[in-house]
Amino acid sequence: MANSLMLSGNTTYLAGFWDDSYKTQLLGIVIAIAGNFLISISLNLQKYTHVRLSRQKDPEPYYKSVLWWCAIILMGIGELGNFAAYGFAPATLVAPLGCVSVIASAVISVAFLKETLRASDLLGGALAISGTYLLVTFAPNISQNITAFKVQKYLVSWQFLVYLFFEIIVFCILLYLYKKKDLKHIVVVLMLVALLASLTVISVKAVAGMITESVKGHLQLTYPIFYVMLIIMVVSCAFQVKFLNQAMEIFDATEVVPINFVFFTASAIIAGVIFYQEFYGVALLNIFMFLFGILLSFLGVFLITRNRERKKSEVPFIDIDQVPGQKSMDKIQPDASSISYGSLDAEAKPLGNKDGELKDTASNLLSSHKP
């Protein structure tokens, strides 16, 4: 009888524990999805603002647009949502949910910005949604109260120290190749971003977790480790943004977005597994299905972002109307095979001046615009 009561009590306790941890994790999932959805809206609003301003005759700076500032506010709210999600759900789950932003951005751009809907977009969206479902279903169902004591314990664990040692070595090698050897390869740049992102994920979850515990009544903000992790978070985020912007300047966004998503997600999962031990005690089938969901998300993001055409600017470099006394619809376009700005169309028939005067005037104008 006593054994039955004990067994019943343990079962009730485990059921209650699972229910509470599941609700907490579900809250983190919802916050992360909502945050990524707001980020996708923000990105499309910013894009719409730039497109609308480019069509104006005398466009004002984008930072004077109310719509642009609304987009920035939404971006901030979305990022805060992602930050808060790390306080409720495992890092190995929150990071892959970034694919929601890619899916939502593709849908919004087609619906409101009238971009072309391709077959690969539909297939990629289906794969990404399926992967997200597997992520949510088979994610490690753990409940960790991130306290200052736990963070200190994780920091000095041998697994993390070995991982940090190799990460520093790899980062230094890549930085040397990038800065000293001028190796501007997309993998090199985004690997630097991913290594910094690993520290960002660790510090963000630590800060968010300690803030969550403080809100619950267990004050953690008086411990020095909180401010150490806060500094790591700010510094790693700043350098991560710096290298990511450099990648965007050198390479096309259709290359940067999928590769960065893959690298960032992989680094976040490794950080969660090694530092927070989020897969400890998880069944092998759950791990396999979780990784399979990540693979589907990777494929979906790749299909959505690949081979997107960049819009060509319709604004001419030099307008023939700049030539005094000339009126023509012809434009001088750049010549891809030389460093000059090209020449006038031979069939163009400008008005007002003789051919000789026009050639002299146009030659002077072109010579003044040469780099």
Side-chain angles (χ1 to χ4, degrees), residues 308-321:
R308 283 202 174 272
E309 296 181 359
R310 287 178 286 182
K311 293 183 182 288
K312 298 180 180 179
S313 174
E314 298 179 358
V315 180
F317 285 87
I318 300 177
D319 196 330
I320 190 61
D321 289 337

Side-chain angles (χ1 to χ4, degrees), residues 40-41 43-49 51-52 55 105-116 311:
S40 65
I41 295 176
L43 293 174
N44 281 277
L45 277 179
Q46 291 180 57
K47 184 176 181 180
Y48 174 75
T49 302
V51 170
R52 190 179 66 172
R55 293 174 179 172
S105 183
V107 173
I108 293 171
S109 63
V110 170
F112 296 100
L113 298 180
K114 307 303 179 184
E115 293 191 359
T116 305
K311 293 183 182 288

Side-chain angles (χ1 to χ4, degrees), residues 35 46 54 105 115 132 141 144 148 156 166 172 183 222 242 245 339:
Q46 291 180 57
S54 67
S105 183
E115 293 191 359
T132 303
N141 183 30
Q144 285 196 72
V156 296
F166 281 105
C172 291
L183 184 60
T222 56
K242 175 185 175 182
N245 282 331
I339 62 173

Side-chain angles (χ1 to χ4, degrees), residues 246 257 349:
Q246 291 178 1
V257 170
K349 296 180 180 180

